[in-house]
Amino acid sequence: MRKIVVVGYGPAAHRLVEALLERGFDGAITVIGEEPRPAYDRVALTSYLSGVAAEELSYPVPPGVVTRLNSRVTGIDRRARLVAVEGGEPEPYDVLVLATGSRPFVPPVPGAEHAHVYRTIGDLDAIRLAAKEATDGVVVGGGLLGLEAADALRGLGLRTHIVEMSPWLMPRQVDEGGGAVLKAHIEALGLSVHTGSGVQEVVTGHDGRVAGLRTPAGTLIEAQVVVFSAGIRPRDELARESGLALGERGGVVVDSAMRTSDPHVYAIGECAVRDGMVYGLVGPCFTMAEVAADRITGGGATFDGADLSTRLKLLGVEVAQFGAMEGALDVTYMDPVAGVYKKLFISDDAGTLLGGICVGDASPYGTLRPYVGKPLPAPPADLLFTGGGAQLDLPDDAQVCSCNNVSAGVVRSAITGQGCADVAGLKACTRAGTTCGSCVPMLRQLLEKAGVETGKGLCEHFEHSRAELFDIVRVRGIGTFSQLIAEHGQGRGCDVCKPAVASILASLHHGHVLEGENAALQDTNDHFLANIQKNGTYSVVPRIPGGEITPDKLIVIGEVARDFGLYTKITGGQRIDLFGARVDQLPQIWRRLVDAGFESGHAYGKALRTVKSCVGSTWCRYGVQDSVGLAIALELRYRGLRSPHKLKSAVSGCARECAEARSKDFGVIATEQGWNLYVGGNGGFKPRHADLFAADLTTEELVRTIDRFLMFYIRTADRLQRTSAWLESLDGGLGYLRSVIVDDALGICADLDAHMERHVAAYADEWRATLEDPDKLSRFVSFVNAPGVPDPSIVFETERDQIKPVVMS
Amino acid sequence: MTWVNVCGYATLLPERGVCALVDGEQVALFRTHDGVVHALGNRDPFSGAYVLSRGIVGTRKGEPTVASPLHKQVFSLVTGHCLDEPSVAVPVYRTRVDGGTVSVSVSV
């Protein structure tokens, strides 16, 4: 069996392993990493300081892969094909892949040993610790990494300075004009920018602590935290010691197959040098990993340099650069008031797009980057103002996702050949849009161009999306489906739009779902307040908040099931499901349950289902909070809340997470200090772990945050879009969600809060209300002309002592 | 032709079905928005379950329809044909409304 050893466990190593497995590699894979954790997303590193746990950033270790963490490789014996590991067994290999990455460049100035660098989670922990006793911080380096570090210091509450050697910021991505606009943005945030300045020394006080940074001009910038973030150097020492060819300025030399001078050794990522270039962006590093994996598994892929285009948001400012940074002709648009600078470089005949720069508004980037080297698709001025919009027809070979090297042709064939019908499908199928996300608008455009409904028009009856219909109903105060379709739609609706509008009306008006003409909008489950099963019978689920139930109530459920001959099963949501009821039996079953103190569990509705809980601190010796009490309170607060899709929740009383809260739409995990809130989790067809949204909340803060999360989801999600897909479809993702429901960026929080209060106040049990209304009750018959006759098509046989449906074919 | 009275017209909710037992046949009755009463066989041919009367009533390109509540195939209330799979159809029965009473004929 062939054995691959990977030295270094960063994103490139992770992608290599994934790519090997995708290509069916069936040998052994061992990854040796220095850090105490598997590879993590360095692009999202700043989010670690704002509370996102290290595990959230980590890429999952693929099954079957052996990892040796906390392990330093000390040498390579290329003749014996052995890797020496400090303090451990040597690792034999058939193929060795060096993915050792880079180290931040630290200029050799006096005091440099007291400065920090910004690359690993360990570095961030050290910076956070130092910032606790500091008021000012300075970052050396005004490039992409430097500004990220500056953002981190600012996030830690420090007055922040940026020192950059070049005359303007981000000299690799923008020109002087763009740099000036960028500087204005950053200074407006309260940061101090010192361009055209180097570093003389890191100054320490009498106590040995860092006191500031002295520039060559003699200026002292007072700061207690100094971070060097001024470029990277490939980590090539293993290659050097083992005699592999190195580049003039370092880095392991590779050919277009990512092979080093030893055919058994590959190098990928930031430690590799190809044609004299070291690539520090994640996109090219992923491409190198794919090429190496392809070669190792017998393919013929090549790496011949990479697109260095970037689009990012640093300190809240959008910056993008694509293609060349010079051209025979250029067209510039500048608005100093709005802080927008856009420039296109074009060929001397004004026919070919060569490149472009955007600061403050990067919207043209997604559309224009694929046109680099191709004829201009529209007049330059139009492109700068609008980015050309959706009118452009991308050639098949145009690159849409530069992080994952996905062309327009590949996206198109995923749409037409593999049936991808939305952005989430394209992400899963092609990887496009999964790294930096800047091409997501482009994916949406390609879907639209291919004639795929991208959630805009609900169906043939409405040209509006669900979110738009929600606003129309809310703002115009529309009370019925008939009014809505007469004024804003056409025809008489269908099984797609009717339940969607029914849900919107229920969310806004809080009336009974069977009231008036609403009854005709409901899916059969909502119509009969029970879940239809394959033989046309229904199942009944009473609410058991938090999964807590008294023995007396358990006995009632058992008696009801026995008396009506129902099949009984315990659900995954800590409730009991009673199957096999005919429509005419439903009211009788509810009567018994309601009399015993039960109410509808809404198992049939696109609504809150359950809030599952572990037993919590009341009984559990590990529990730190009362998870059962909170779960019951949450379930009672949100019961009956109609939403675009079903909602599930759970509360765990400690970090052991027995309630599996991270697989829920909103999950809560107790901490010593309070509650951590996770959102957007999902089990089911496409599992997704929920994202940590906020940490150590008080119960009051937690409830307010969930209120807003749910209401914002209800208002803006597509029909049948679970919170996980909704969150992934939000431009700006979790950060945007935080800005809306924590920082109130849209000014809607008071409205969301009031909306939830109305829901809580208006809640009424739908079963009880139906039992009290003879008109509604009269519909619960099998036959309108023979109310007492049971449906003769419903037949059961017995299996494991319970009924089982027999469907006549 | 034999007409069987099944219910009062007012019993039928607009755009919602009921099921009637007529000469041993299960008949799904629907009152559309324009007031017309349609009748189809209640058996969903895809699942074999007798459930079509519990589907959502609507229109497709102007044609009145019902969607099976189990797997959402759409049937024309006029022809009984499945619009998603034209080779499949359910029986269509005649209806009439006389003096506020709805009658169905299941004989041909």
Side-chain angles (χ1 to χ4, degrees), chain A residues 331-354:
Chain A
V331 183
T332 307
Y333 167 82
M334 187 166 158
D335 177 350
V337 178
V340 173
Y341 179 90
K342 294 187 264 192
K343 189 172 202 171
L344 291 185
F345 301 102
I346 46 192
S347 63
D348 53 1
D349 60 356
T352 305
L353 179 65
L354 300 177

Side-chain angles (χ1 to χ4, degrees), chain A residues 39-283:
Chain A
Y40 49 88
D41 184 0
R42 285 193 214 279
V43 178
L45 207 52
T46 33
S47 65
Y48 175 70
L49 289 180
S50 51
V52 174
E55 303 81 63
E56 310 262 327
L57 297 173
S58 294
Y59 299 113
V61 181
V65 173
V66 176
T67 59
R68 293 180 69 174
L69 305 177
N70 266 323
S71 299
R72 211 170 70 81
V73 171
T74 52
I76 303 165
D77 181 341
R78 293 200 283 125
R79 188 168 304 172
R81 290 196 206 144
L82 275 179
V83 168
V85 183
E86 191 174 64
E89 291 291 306
E91 198 73 60
Y93 66 83
D94 298 300
V95 175
L96 178 66
V97 182
L98 297 175
T100 45
S102 66
R103 64 165 51 87
F105 169 64
V106 176
V109 296
E113 67 277 14
H114 300 296
H116 293 270
V117 292
Y118 186 88
R119 179 173 175 84
T120 66
I121 284 179
D123 296 337
L124 265 58
D125 285 333
I127 291 173
R128 174 153 52 190
L129 190 66
K132 281 195 174 150
E133 303 194 342
T135 56
D136 290 74
V138 57
V139 174
V140 179
L144 193 159
L145 294 171
L147 295 190
E148 263 183 31
D151 196 11
L153 292 190
R154 176 172 162 263
L156 291 169
L158 302 188
R159 276 191 299 268
T160 304
H161 301 259
I162 300 166
V163 175
E164 165 60 42
M165 182 79 88
S166 304
W168 64 85
L169 293 171
M170 295 191 78
R172 284 190 170 200
Q173 283 82 18
V174 305
D175 62 0
E176 187 169 2
V181 172
L182 180 60
K183 184 177 176 205
H185 271 291
I186 290 174
E187 287 178 336
L189 292 173
L191 286 81
S192 306
V193 178
H194 313 258
T195 48
S197 172
V199 181
Q200 187 70 40
E201 67 168 312
V202 177
V203 181
T204 48
H206 298 301
D207 55 357
R209 293 180 180 217
V210 171
L213 190 84
R214 195 178 310 281
T215 69
T219 312
L220 177 71
I221 301 169
E222 286 184 30
Q224 301 79 43
V225 179
V226 176
V227 179
F228 282 115
S229 194
I232 55 168
R233 295 290 180 268
R235 291 192 53 181
D236 53 14
E237 55 272 22
L238 285 172
R240 183 187 307 275
E241 286 158 15
S242 59
L244 293 171
L246 299 185
E248 278 176 30
R249 282 171 297 157
V252 191
V253 171
V254 292
D255 61 12
S256 64
M258 303 314 298
R259 262 190 310 248
T260 65
S261 51
D262 177 340
H264 297 287
V265 182
Y266 292 74
I268 58 171
E270 292 176 329
C271 70
V273 57
R274 168 81 189 130
D275 286 335
M277 271 288 284
V278 171
Y279 292 88
L281 292 171
V282 71

Side-chain angles (χ1 to χ4, degrees), chain A residues 460-461 481-482 490-496 498-499 516 519-524 527-528 532-538 583 779 782-786 789-794 807-809, chain B residues 4-7 11-22 25-27 29 33 42-43 47-51 53-62 65 67-70 72 74:
Chain A
E460 68 170 69
H461 305 101
F481 178 79
S482 288
Q490 53 199 338
R492 283 303 304 172
C494 63
D495 59 301
V496 171
K498 280 189 165 177
L521 307 179
Q522 310 296 346
D523 214 346
T524 190
H527 196 81
F528 289 103
I532 195 167
Q533 302 299 330
K534 63 193 288 186
N535 65 342
T537 61
Y538 290 79
V583 285
R779 297 170 204 159
S782 290
F783 301 111
V784 66
N785 60 341
V789 178
D791 182 345
S793 75
I794 295 173
V807 179
M808 311 294 182
S809 55
Chain B
V4 177
N5 294 348
V6 289
C7 62
T11 309
L12 298 180
L13 290 173
E15 302 191 317
R16 196 72 211 180
V18 299
C19 183
L21 200 55
V22 181
E25 295 290 329
Q26 290 199 22
V27 177
L29 288 162
H33 185 66
N42 191 37
R43 183 176 178 274
S47 64
Y50 287 74
V51 294
S53 61
R54 296 181 229 147
I56 288 180
V57 176
T59 57
R60 185 177 282 188
K61 298 191 173 66
T65 56
S68 165
L70 280 172
K72 315 295 179 198
V74 171

Side-chain angles (χ1 to χ4, degrees), chain A residues 383-401:
Chain A
L383 296 174
L384 282 179
F385 275 113
T386 65
Q391 305 313 312
L392 307 178
D393 275 313
L394 276 179
D396 269 348
D397 63 344
Q399 198 185 42
V400 173
C401 173

